[in-house]
Amino acid sequence: MNLEKQSRLYREVIEAPLSEEELATVNSTAFDFAQTLGLQLTYCAQDRLEGELAVDQRLLQPTGIANGGLYCVIGETLASIGAVAACAKPAVGMSNYTDLLGSVRDGETIRAVARPVHVGKRTHLWRVEMRSGDKLVAVTNLKLMVLDN
């Protein structure tokens, strides 16, 4: 399924948040790496993107905690989709700076919220905060380049 033809995402600035049906379409498409890991979008608009991922055994490092790369993937994915929602153009990461602040174990859920810090014509900067329960476990700052269609 081609996501660009099935959703407002990529076709227009998402002023009104995606509906539950539209989110279900995006989540069922498995259009990127993070979704194959289990990331599900729960909210999408031009000024905020939210998602969650249930951590399972596949995502752990040998010490029994979530692999640090997982947080980078969540941050990159949510910020990239957020940039697309804000400008209706493809956007790609230029710099991913992720601070790992806490650990998450098998059976716990990471909930992430992405918000724009800067939305320019050619570049964006998004900040993604990831939590497990009430604990802040990671923060990503992602600089993106907006591509011409």
Side-chain angles (χ1 to χ4, degrees), residues 51-102:
E52 62 184 31
L53 186 146
V55 174
D56 62 37
Q57 186 67 36
R58 310 172 294 131
L59 306 174
L60 303 181
Q61 57 176 278
T63 60
I65 61 175
N67 186 291
L70 181 62
Y71 304 103
C72 298
V73 170
I74 294 168
E76 177 109 13
T77 300
L78 291 185
S80 295
I81 296 171
V84 170
C87 68
K89 294 182 178 182
V92 295
M94 296 170 59
S95 172
N96 181 327
Y97 187 92
T98 300
D99 287 303
L100 309 175
L101 306 170

Side-chain angles (χ1 to χ4, degrees), residues 114-128:
R115 289 190 171 87
V117 175
H118 165 77
V119 176
K121 185 176 181 178
R122 299 290 296 162
T123 61
H124 286 205
L125 177 64
W126 284 69
R127 179 180 174 91
V128 183

Side-chain angles (χ1 to χ4, degrees), residues 12-84:
E12 64 184 73
V13 173
I14 308 301
E15 294 179 17
L18 293 183
S19 68
E20 292 295 323
E21 182 178 308
E22 289 172 307
L23 286 170
T25 298
V26 172
N27 288 328
S28 69
T29 305
F31 67 96
D32 74 4
F33 178 56
Q35 286 186 311
T36 64
L37 297 177
L39 181 65
Q40 295 287 298
L41 301 184
T42 58
Y43 183 89
C44 179
Q46 67 181 357
D47 61 346
R48 189 174 90 242
L49 204 83
E50 297 180 10
E52 62 184 31
L53 186 146
V55 174
D56 62 37
Q57 186 67 36
R58 310 172 294 131
L59 306 174
L60 303 181
Q61 57 176 278
T63 60
I65 61 175
N67 186 291
L70 181 62
Y71 304 103
C72 298
V73 170
I74 294 168
E76 177 109 13
T77 300
L78 291 185
S80 295
I81 296 171
V84 170

